[in-house]
Amino acid sequence: MYALNYVKAKSLKEAAAILAKNPEAKLLAGGMTLIPTMKQRLARPTHVVDIAGLSELRGIVSKGGKLVIGAGTKHHDVATSAVVRKAIPALAGLAAEIGDPQVRNRGTIGGSLANNDPAADYPAAVLGLGASVVTSKRSIAAEDYFQGLFATALDAGEVIVRVEFPLPKRAAYSKFHHPASGYAMAGVFIAQTAGGVRVAVTGAGPGVFRWTAAEAALAKSFKPAALEGLALDASGLNSDIHADRDYRANLVRVMAKRALAKLSGRK
Amino acid sequence: MSAKAHNHGPVGRVEDKRLVTGGGTFAADYNVPGQLHGYFLRSDRAHAEIVAVNTERAMKHAGVKAVITGADAVRAGYVKPMHTLTFPGKGGMQTRAPERPVLAHGGVHFVGEAVALVVAESAEAAQDAAELVEIRYRDLPAVVAPEGALAPGAPQLHGNVPGNLALEAEVGDAAAVEAAFARAAHVTRLKVEVTRVAPNPMEPRAYIASYDARADSYTLHVCCQGITTLRRHLSAYTGVPEEKLHFEVGDVGGGFGQRTPAYPEHGALMLAAKQTGRPVRWVSTRSEGIACDTHGRANVIDGALALDREGRFVAMRLDWVNDMGAYLSPASMGHIRNTTTCMTGVYRIPALYATYRVALTNTNPVSSYRGAGRPDIAYTVERLVSQAATELKMDAAELRRRNLIPPEAFPYKTPTGSTYENADLPGLLEKALKLADWKGYAKRRAQTEKAGKLRGIGIATVIENTGAGQAAKDEVELELDAAGNITVYTMSKSQGHGHETTFATIVADALGVPFERVRLKQCTPERQHRLQGNHTGGSRSTVGAGSVCHLAAQKLIEHGRAAAALELAVEPSQVEYADGVYRTKESKRTLKLGDLARSKPVSVIAEGKFGSTFPNGCHIAEVEIDPGTGAAEIASYAAVDDIGTVINHAVVEGQLHGGVAMGAGQVLGEKVVYDPGSGQLLTGSFMDYYMPRAGLVPAIRGAEHATPSSVSPLGVKGVGESGCTGSLPAVANAVMDALAPLGVGHLDMPLTPSKVWHAMQDARKGRH
Amino acid sequence: MAKVTIKVNGKNQTRTVEDRMLLVDFLRDELRLTGTHVGCDTSQCGCCTVHVDGRAVKSCTVLAAQANGANIVTIEGMAKNGKLHPIQRAFSECHGLQCGFCTPGMIMATAGLLKDKPNPTDEEIYKGLEGNLCRCTGYINIVKAVKMSAKLLRGKKH
């Protein structure tokens, strides 16, 4: 990788200050995305600001109808947390399927959301649950947070501090793993929330999106059969040597059905 | 005369202790005092003229000592790599081989081709400086598909290879085949692609080249499959005489055929070492390796099998297009030689005819990869046979049974001129059917269908030639010391094969001494200019070097007997030997083996040259397919293999496991993909190139069905590659069997979830 | 440049290194602990797996500077007083290695897996080794080695 300056931030304030002073600086938490990108020489930050140790970014708490997870929380910790398993088991299950065990021991929810890879898993949960991304400056609703391929609503120097998930009645996630990379070729997060059914899809398009036709159908009948023959516009989906848009559209449908099937056994 | 079968006990292999503790020394673990670091700048386009190369800015970068380019390669004469398509083709055609300067000069012909070598004090400096090398290209149209490359109007890669056709060859009897097809009751036709794959051993390449100005010689620290073949290739490529090329090799992290040849990188590093006067070290990356370490397979075969009314095979015709990439690699002949040798498979087919067209394309060169053509021919024949069975509504096993070469026909001379030594194919088949519970399949399928999935069963009965090498002979030296320890010197090189254990076993068994007394050393600097021998590839080391280990032990015993007779003052005929001790027949006087080396070590060299052995097997795979996603999983795998005598069961089993997984990986997901328009490599890393993971082949029910081989004194049949010769067709046949009821015809590998799903949809719409 | 102090296999190691130096290169080049291997460049093959503060991690995807103050165990730290760790023993006895290049990473990943799941099912083993590639063995004996390791570790304290 290119030469860079490593700085370990002692506080969120310090991290923000370094970012403000150095426009080409990047935050480093788990490094599971940033470091491979730097190794490929596709990123050339002047500074990497290590925020992995910050206590301000830690914590998993469920209270007041919300599950709050610190941005620096590792995937392994989300996957194995008794609090998460009780509050939103689908979220624990999702985290348990990110990458591989070694990646889960380093990667963080904040890092994943800041990067917004179109095939990452967390965006589906955040959009599917109508969560809020709380930063050093404000709280951003899921609807407003994701802005397309690797693009988010974050301003320069804005740091994700925690994610607040309203507790759903129930939720499930089903993912089809890309045979080579292990990322989501299609991942569907379905939740029955206070505001109604939400169906969020990742991996299939240029960014996470809600399958509104499915939400409407499931609102009427919360059964796999409701998804039969449902319209899913394949034209906006990704197409590459591994999967064309028609196959991805199929995967979305199938993963949605399987997510629903997971829910049938629960309360 | 065969070695005692040795069961792998709780001891493990000799090599394990250092490998499980991180004590192995692989190529990138080595450093040489005063070394510089090299970084290869590689072409980012598939086909272009090199208009200008400017290294001025790069040379000014801190730490840079040299930038070697194609001009240096041409000046040094490092331009003509060896190839092995040295047999005459159709009508006496001679192979047209393009030149290939070790660094591209004048033009680049595939993405990843090395264009310059930057040499600096650190690897980082070399890589940083490489970005400052300015290369001006004039882009040319590229062609990556072999049939496209041979078509009129295709972009021409090399001036001396018109039509991109390097060689056209034929084998067999065209007239007899045509006549048989005309009379046939049934003809089944199938065009298949055996995909281009990347061998991807887990260790990326790493070399260190040093130049000794006084001796005008080079020492190369490498990972390789043996140094004799590498040395021969490299000497031909560079003009440096073999006696001036010295090699050092430690532990090697897998090879599978990819590490046999000399590469341009060897030559470029030699130039750099000579120019700078310092050793130059290069460590490859995985992405670099996927792009430029030789690829495997890449054949398109248009085949037809003719049968009579009783379902007996009367003729087969195969038309091959062999994609060899942009240049002919040194190990290119397997796809023609081996496929010719095994063309008839395990069947009696009276008339055979095959044509081969070797195409050059704007892609990475293709070379040997586990099986070197034998999995390709096995796949083609077994797909044709299974398809014929489906068309004739015959049981796939029965059609095979009807056509197997019977035991009494061995040694069997095939219509393509090869002779199979020995096999009991009917017995092998029956054993496999029983092991796989072929008869109980319907019940299992019903259960799978109840669970909402599809199930298929695929069978492959295969044979292949292994063991014969190209070296004049294999030589092995045994050195005995006064303590009775024996050092075995070979020119073979294990890359995971376990020779330190198996060859020591062979010698220990032959001498009747404890295993711990015998130690193997491979390709040592002191012996490499004295001993001849084949590299390790083509499943030949146990047959070849292993047998010679046995012969050397016997020679040591005889040599010792003469010396013992002198010491014991009796006739040699009066001296008996057993378990490390000589004793006279009458008196109780004895002499220990080690005593012979009391004053100085005793050394004997034995030699041998052995022909091909013919391991054969019947593999049966069952798959389950998730109709929602098209994903196929291996539900069971049974393999009965005739591999002759077995020295170490665990080692042999391990080789079969690994080979089966490789074949399964190729059928279910692996493929090197180039963009047809630009020639860009689309599967350039593990993010896009599928690799088998734990669970792909959950278990293998295995059994042996040995028939003795008299090719070598040990009676072994080379087995290292056999696993994928069986699994490539078995797994493919299983998936096709699962899809056949839906009306899906042949599908080419890889049978990815997407491909399977699409085929199911098309069949449903009546489009297949 | 960064001055780092990292505890490796029980011993504190202090070096001054480039900020961009990867942990795997620190181990291999600075400390000459070459048992940890580099097998790929997209953080997928797992050959570089070590334990950082008790968790299995791909050392090719961590900067040495990030590991400042951490406690690291590499493959060289698994055997104690010349006695093989049960996992090392199991891999050898089950013939779970051939060329040995992926083996250190595979063993470290296994140790991590068995810490989280001391009695794993086949599926849990497949999932637990998702981050480790092997080209030689076909994995069947590796899975056997993991199961034997689990048994050995459950039977005794190492």
Side-chain angles (χ1 to χ4, degrees), chain B residues 274-303:
Chain B
K274 186 170 186 184
Q275 184 175 317
T276 61
R278 287 168 65 178
V280 182
R281 180 180 192 260
W282 167 65
V283 179
S284 178
T285 67
R286 178 60 56 183
S287 302
E288 206 174 354
I290 293 178
C292 71
D293 294 356
T294 55
H295 290 161
R297 315 225 193 285
N299 292 303
V300 178
I301 310 110
D302 197 347

Short mmCIF file of all heavy atoms in Angstrom, two decimals, chain B residues 274-303:
data_model
loop_
_atom_site.label_atom_id
_atom_site.label_comp_id
_atom_site.label_asym_id
_atom_site.label_seq_id
_atom_site.Cartn_x
_atom_site.Cartn_y
_atom_site.Cartn_z
N LYS B 274 22.37 -10.14 -12.40
CA LYS B 274 23.64 -9.91 -13.10
C LYS B 274 23.92 -8.43 -13.22
O LYS B 274 25.04 -7.96 -12.99
CB LYS B 274 23.60 -10.56 -14.48
CG LYS B 274 24.93 -10.49 -15.21
CD LYS B 274 24.92 -11.35 -16.47
CE LYS B 274 26.33 -11.36 -17.08
NZ LYS B 274 26.34 -12.10 -18.35
N GLN B 275 22.88 -7.68 -13.57
CA GLN B 275 23.09 -6.25 -13.81
C GLN B 275 23.44 -5.52 -12.52
O GLN B 275 24.31 -4.65 -12.50
CB GLN B 275 21.84 -5.63 -14.44
CG GLN B 275 22.05 -4.16 -14.79
CD GLN B 275 20.87 -3.56 -15.52
OE1 GLN B 275 20.30 -4.19 -16.42
NE2 GLN B 275 20.50 -2.35 -15.14
N THR B 276 22.76 -5.84 -11.44
CA THR B 276 23.00 -5.11 -10.19
C THR B 276 24.14 -5.69 -9.39
O THR B 276 24.65 -5.04 -8.47
CB THR B 276 21.75 -5.13 -9.30
OG1 THR B 276 21.44 -6.50 -8.99
CG2 THR B 276 20.56 -4.46 -9.98
N GLY B 277 24.52 -6.93 -9.68
CA GLY B 277 25.57 -7.56 -8.91
C GLY B 277 25.12 -7.98 -7.53
O GLY B 277 25.93 -8.31 -6.66
N ARG B 278 23.82 -7.94 -7.29
CA ARG B 278 23.28 -8.35 -5.99
C ARG B 278 22.15 -9.33 -6.18
O ARG B 278 21.50 -9.33 -7.24
CB ARG B 278 22.79 -7.12 -5.22
CG ARG B 278 23.93 -6.26 -4.69
CD ARG B 278 23.43 -4.93 -4.18
NE ARG B 278 22.56 -5.05 -3.02
CZ ARG B 278 22.04 -4.00 -2.38
NH1 ARG B 278 22.31 -2.78 -2.80
NH2 ARG B 278 21.26 -4.17 -1.34
N PRO B 279 21.87 -10.15 -5.15
CA PRO B 279 20.72 -11.06 -5.28
C PRO B 279 19.43 -10.24 -5.39
O PRO B 279 19.31 -9.19 -4.77
CB PRO B 279 20.74 -11.85 -3.96
CG PRO B 279 22.08 -11.61 -3.36
CD PRO B 279 22.56 -10.30 -3.85
N VAL B 280 18.50 -10.73 -6.17
CA VAL B 280 17.23 -10.04 -6.32
C VAL B 280 16.10 -10.98 -5.92
O VAL B 280 15.99 -12.08 -6.45
CB VAL B 280 17.03 -9.55 -7.77
CG1 VAL B 280 15.70 -8.78 -7.89
CG2 VAL B 280 18.19 -8.66 -8.19
N ARG B 281 15.28 -10.51 -5.01
CA ARG B 281 14.20 -11.31 -4.44
C ARG B 281 12.84 -10.81 -4.94
O ARG B 281 12.62 -9.60 -5.01
CB ARG B 281 14.25 -11.18 -2.92
CG ARG B 281 13.20 -11.96 -2.14
CD ARG B 281 13.44 -11.69 -0.65
NE ARG B 281 12.68 -12.58 0.21
CZ ARG B 281 11.53 -12.24 0.82
NH1 ARG B 281 11.03 -11.04 0.63
NH2 ARG B 281 10.92 -13.10 1.60
N TRP B 282 11.97 -11.75 -5.28
CA TRP B 282 10.63 -11.39 -5.72
C TRP B 282 9.63 -12.30 -5.05
O TRP B 282 9.81 -13.51 -5.03
CB TRP B 282 10.52 -11.55 -7.24
CG TRP B 282 9.12 -11.50 -7.76
CD1 TRP B 282 8.26 -10.44 -7.74
CD2 TRP B 282 8.40 -12.57 -8.41
NE1 TRP B 282 7.06 -10.78 -8.34
CE2 TRP B 282 7.12 -12.08 -8.75
CE3 TRP B 282 8.72 -13.89 -8.73
CZ2 TRP B 282 6.17 -12.86 -9.40
CZ3 TRP B 282 7.78 -14.68 -9.38
CH2 TRP B 282 6.50 -14.16 -9.70
N VAL B 283 8.59 -11.70 -4.47
CA VAL B 283 7.50 -12.46 -3.89
C VAL B 283 6.23 -12.05 -4.62
O VAL B 283 5.87 -10.88 -4.65
CB VAL B 283 7.34 -12.19 -2.38
CG1 VAL B 283 6.17 -12.98 -1.80
CG2 VAL B 283 8.63 -12.53 -1.65
N SER B 284 5.57 -13.02 -5.22
CA SER B 284 4.36 -12.74 -5.99
C SER B 284 3.17 -12.50 -5.07
O SER B 284 3.20 -12.88 -3.89
CB SER B 284 4.08 -13.94 -6.90
OG SER B 284 2.89 -13.75 -7.65
N THR B 285 2.13 -11.89 -5.59
CA THR B 285 0.88 -11.80 -4.85
C THR B 285 -0.10 -12.78 -5.48
O THR B 285 0.13 -13.30 -6.57
CB THR B 285 0.27 -10.39 -4.93
OG1 THR B 285 -0.14 -10.15 -6.28
CG2 THR B 285 1.27 -9.34 -4.48
N ARG B 286 -1.20 -13.00 -4.81
CA ARG B 286 -2.20 -13.93 -5.34
C ARG B 286 -2.79 -13.40 -6.64
O ARG B 286 -2.97 -14.14 -7.60
CB ARG B 286 -3.30 -14.17 -4.30
CG ARG B 286 -4.43 -15.08 -4.78
CD ARG B 286 -3.98 -16.47 -5.16
NE ARG B 286 -3.28 -17.14 -4.10
CZ ARG B 286 -2.73 -18.35 -4.19
NH1 ARG B 286 -2.80 -19.01 -5.34
NH2 ARG B 286 -2.10 -18.88 -3.16
N SER B 287 -3.11 -12.12 -6.66
CA SER B 287 -3.70 -11.56 -7.89
C SER B 287 -2.73 -11.67 -9.05
O SER B 287 -3.12 -11.92 -10.18
CB SER B 287 -4.06 -10.09 -7.68
OG SER B 287 -4.95 -9.98 -6.60
N GLU B 288 -1.47 -11.44 -8.75
CA GLU B 288 -0.44 -11.58 -9.77
C GLU B 288 -0.45 -13.02 -10.28
O GLU B 288 -0.44 -13.29 -11.47
CB GLU B 288 0.92 -11.25 -9.14
CG GLU B 288 1.95 -10.74 -10.07
CD GLU B 288 3.22 -10.31 -9.34
OE1 GLU B 288 3.24 -10.29 -8.09
OE2 GLU B 288 4.19 -9.99 -10.04
N GLY B 289 -0.51 -13.94 -9.34
CA GLY B 289 -0.47 -15.35 -9.68
C GLY B 289 -1.66 -15.81 -10.49
O GLY B 289 -1.52 -16.57 -11.45
N ILE B 290 -2.85 -15.34 -10.13
CA ILE B 290 -4.03 -15.75 -10.90
C ILE B 290 -3.89 -15.25 -12.33
O ILE B 290 -4.32 -15.91 -13.28
CB ILE B 290 -5.33 -15.24 -10.25
CG1 ILE B 290 -5.55 -15.92 -8.90
CG2 ILE B 290 -6.53 -15.49 -11.17
CD1 ILE B 290 -6.79 -15.44 -8.15
N ALA B 291 -3.26 -14.11 -12.49
CA ALA B 291 -3.11 -13.56 -13.84
C ALA B 291 -2.00 -14.23 -14.64
O ALA B 291 -2.14 -14.41 -15.85
CB ALA B 291 -2.82 -12.05 -13.74
N CYS B 292 -0.89 -14.58 -13.98
CA CYS B 292 0.26 -14.99 -14.81
C CYS B 292 0.91 -16.31 -14.44
O CYS B 292 1.87 -16.70 -15.10
CB CYS B 292 1.30 -13.88 -14.81
SG CYS B 292 2.12 -13.73 -13.23
N ASP B 293 0.47 -17.01 -13.42
CA ASP B 293 0.95 -18.37 -13.21
C ASP B 293 0.13 -19.26 -14.15
O ASP B 293 -1.07 -19.05 -14.29
CB ASP B 293 0.73 -18.83 -11.77
CG ASP B 293 1.57 -18.05 -10.76
OD1 ASP B 293 2.38 -17.21 -11.18
OD2 ASP B 293 1.40 -18.29 -9.56
N THR B 294 0.78 -20.23 -14.79
CA THR B 294 0.08 -20.93 -15.86
C THR B 294 -1.28 -21.48 -15.44
O THR B 294 -1.45 -21.97 -14.33
CB THR B 294 0.92 -22.10 -16.42
OG1 THR B 294 1.29 -22.98 -15.36
CG2 THR B 294 2.17 -21.58 -17.10
N HIS B 295 -2.23 -21.37 -16.35
CA HIS B 295 -3.58 -21.88 -16.13
C HIS B 295 -3.65 -23.34 -16.55
O HIS B 295 -2.71 -23.90 -17.11
CB HIS B 295 -4.59 -21.06 -16.92
CG HIS B 295 -4.77 -19.68 -16.37
ND1 HIS B 295 -5.31 -18.65 -17.10
CD2 HIS B 295 -4.49 -19.15 -15.16
CE1 HIS B 295 -5.35 -17.55 -16.35
NE2 HIS B 295 -4.85 -17.84 -15.17
N GLY B 296 -4.79 -23.95 -16.29
CA GLY B 296 -4.96 -25.37 -16.60
C GLY B 296 -6.16 -25.63 -17.48
O GLY B 296 -7.11 -24.84 -17.53
N ARG B 297 -6.12 -26.76 -18.14
CA ARG B 297 -7.20 -27.31 -18.96
C ARG B 297 -7.52 -26.41 -20.16
O ARG B 297 -6.72 -26.33 -21.06
CB ARG B 297 -8.41 -27.64 -18.10
CG ARG B 297 -8.03 -28.37 -16.80
CD ARG B 297 -8.91 -29.55 -16.48
NE ARG B 297 -8.69 -30.02 -15.11
CZ ARG B 297 -7.62 -30.72 -14.71
NH1 ARG B 297 -6.67 -31.06 -15.55
NH2 ARG B 297 -7.52 -31.10 -13.43
N ALA B 298 -8.66 -25.79 -20.24
CA ALA B 298 -8.99 -24.88 -21.36
C ALA B 298 -9.07 -25.61 -22.69
O ALA B 298 -8.36 -25.28 -23.64
CB ALA B 298 -7.99 -23.72 -21.42
N ASN B 299 -9.91 -26.61 -22.76
CA ASN B 299 -10.10 -27.35 -24.01
C ASN B 299 -11.57 -27.35 -24.40
O ASN B 299 -12.44 -27.43 -23.55
CB ASN B 299 -9.65 -28.81 -23.84
CG ASN B 299 -8.15 -28.92 -23.65
OD1 ASN B 299 -7.38 -28.46 -24.49
ND2 ASN B 299 -7.72 -29.53 -22.55
N VAL B 300 -11.81 -27.28 -25.69
CA VAL B 300 -13.17 -27.42 -26.22
C VAL B 300 -13.18 -28.67 -27.07
O VAL B 300 -12.31 -28.84 -27.94
CB VAL B 300 -13.57 -26.20 -27.08
CG1 VAL B 300 -14.97 -26.39 -27.65
CG2 VAL B 300 -13.51 -24.93 -26.25
N ILE B 301 -14.08 -29.57 -26.78
CA ILE B 301 -14.08 -30.85 -27.49
C ILE B 301 -15.45 -31.11 -28.11
O ILE B 301 -16.47 -31.10 -27.41
CB ILE B 301 -13.74 -32.02 -26.52
CG1 ILE B 301 -12.47 -31.70 -25.72
CG2 ILE B 301 -13.57 -33.32 -27.30
CD1 ILE B 301 -12.70 -31.42 -24.26
N ASP B 302 -15.43 -31.35 -29.39
CA ASP B 302 -16.67 -31.68 -30.11
C ASP B 302 -16.61 -33.18 -30.34
O ASP B 302 -15.75 -33.66 -31.08
CB ASP B 302 -16.71 -30.92 -31.43
CG ASP B 302 -18.10 -30.88 -32.02
OD1 ASP B 302 -18.98 -31.65 -31.54
OD2 ASP B 302 -18.32 -30.11 -32.97
N GLY B 303 -17.49 -33.91 -29.67
CA GLY B 303 -17.36 -35.36 -29.70
C GLY B 303 -18.61 -36.09 -30.16
O GLY B 303 -19.72 -35.56 -30.10
#
